[in-house]
Amino acid sequence: NAGVTQTPKFRILKIGQSMTLQCAQDMNHNYMYWYRQDPGMGLKLIYYSVGAGITDKGEVPNGYNVSRSTTEDFPLRLELAAPSQTSVYFCASSLDSRYGYTFGSGTRLTVV
Amino acid sequence: DQQVKQNSPSLSVQEGRISILNCDYTNSMFDYFLWYKKYPAEGPTFLISISSIKDKNEDGRFTVFLNKSAKHLSLHIVPSQPGDSAVYFCAASGGSNYKLTFGKGTLLTVNP
């Protein structure tokens, strides 16, 4: 049982480049989330999805886009990367928030 | 507006002693609370939870206490072990079944 799988684990981008962070879960969870964690800071919600075809903004959505075409996949797209997007990105999924989230192992992104 | 607050960024304890991590919340709609543990370079993992109908939940060395009138919860680790050294996040659920609100985390260091 893989849980939540994130790829890549590490990436260095140049300013202005674009990339997609991949996230897949095999638990048939309806709810999926993208968070970022900056050094010494907590988790900030970027986008979330309550089901295939439905997405919504979190606290810090600027500079990012998401799509949810299937229950399993929830990719996060960075357009025109900026140094402020240097962070560790976590994807998570949930059946119900009372049961908690299952997190992926994270993608460490550096924009130079 | 921070609805879940962990006011201590860090805590240091001796091996074998008790670790007490605190969390305060402001939203009366929260009815389920969770603690997550995060090691460096890994995603957060679920540790223990408590429903608002209870005031205590225990799982081995970990106990969570909830004081609804004070809107306060605490995580007790007894006895503390060096392997417990990690960042601990408090999270709360309520009003919806898909969204958790996280605190900023407390870095626990257990010294041998």
Side-chain angles (χ1 to χ4, degrees):
Chain A
N1 193 359
V4 177
T5 303
Q6 287 186 240
T7 56
K9 292 194 183 300
F10 304 94
R11 183 73 186 267
I12 298 175
L13 275 184
K14 293 185 178 179
I15 294 171
Q17 286 185 321
S18 301
M19 77 164 293
T20 299
L21 281 68
Q22 301 291 344
C23 176
Q25 53 96 3
D26 61 359
M27 297 170 285
N28 203 32
H29 287 171
N30 278 331
Y31 309 130
M32 295 189 75
Y33 315 84
W34 275 105
Y35 285 88
R36 60 178 284 175
Q37 185 186 23
D38 299 326
M41 301 295 287
L43 299 163
K44 294 185 179 178
L45 181 64
I46 306 171
Y47 270 95
Y48 67 97
S49 169
V50 298
I54 307 170
T55 63
D56 207 348
K57 296 177 180 179
E59 305 168 67
V60 289
N62 292 342
Y64 307 94
N65 275 301
V66 293
S67 59
R68 184 97 182 268
S69 56
T70 66
T71 299
E72 294 77 21
D73 299 298
F74 191 39
L76 177 72
R77 178 84 177 159
L78 277 73
E79 305 281 3
L80 299 175
S84 61
Q85 293 177 304
T86 293
S87 190
V88 180
Y89 293 82
F90 291 102
C91 179
S93 72
S94 173
L95 185 64
D96 184 307
S97 59
R98 291 169 298 174
Y99 308 138
Y101 295 174
T102 300
F103 283 87
S105 57
T107 295
R108 183 175 295 275
L109 175 69
T110 303
V111 182
V112 297
Chain B
D1 179 29
Q2 224 182 321
Q3 298 185 62
V4 177
K5 298 179 184 179
Q6 294 178 256
N7 291 320
S8 297
S10 63
L11 174 68
S12 183
V13 300
Q14 285 299 119
E15 182 178 4
R17 298 287 185 101
I18 184 171
S19 295
I20 301 176
L21 294 92
N22 294 304
C23 179
D24 297 295
Y25 62 96
T26 58
N27 190 337
S28 300
M29 294 290 289
F30 289 148
D31 59 2
Y32 217 81
F33 303 89
L34 305 92
W35 285 93
Y36 279 81
K37 179 178 181 178
K38 185 186 178 304
Y39 291 119
E42 294 184 12
T45 55
F46 169 76
L47 185 59
I48 192 170
S49 63
I50 188 168
S51 163
S52 60
I53 63 173
K54 294 187 174 182
D55 54 20
K56 177 183 174 180
N57 189 25
E58 200 169 348
D59 184 1
R61 296 185 296 113
F62 302 91
T63 303
V64 56
F65 295 92
L66 176 62
N67 182 333
K68 290 186 290 295
S69 61
K71 293 191 174 68
H72 176 83
L73 63 155
S74 60
L75 175 68
H76 293 211
I77 307 173
V78 183
S80 301
Q81 299 173 353
D84 296 330
S85 297
V87 175
Y88 290 79
F89 290 101
C90 172
S93 170
S96 75
N97 61 349
Y98 59 85
K99 197 182 279 190
L100 286 177
T101 301
F102 286 89
K104 290 191 174 182
T106 296
L107 172 63
L108 173 66
T109 303
V110 180
N111 301 301

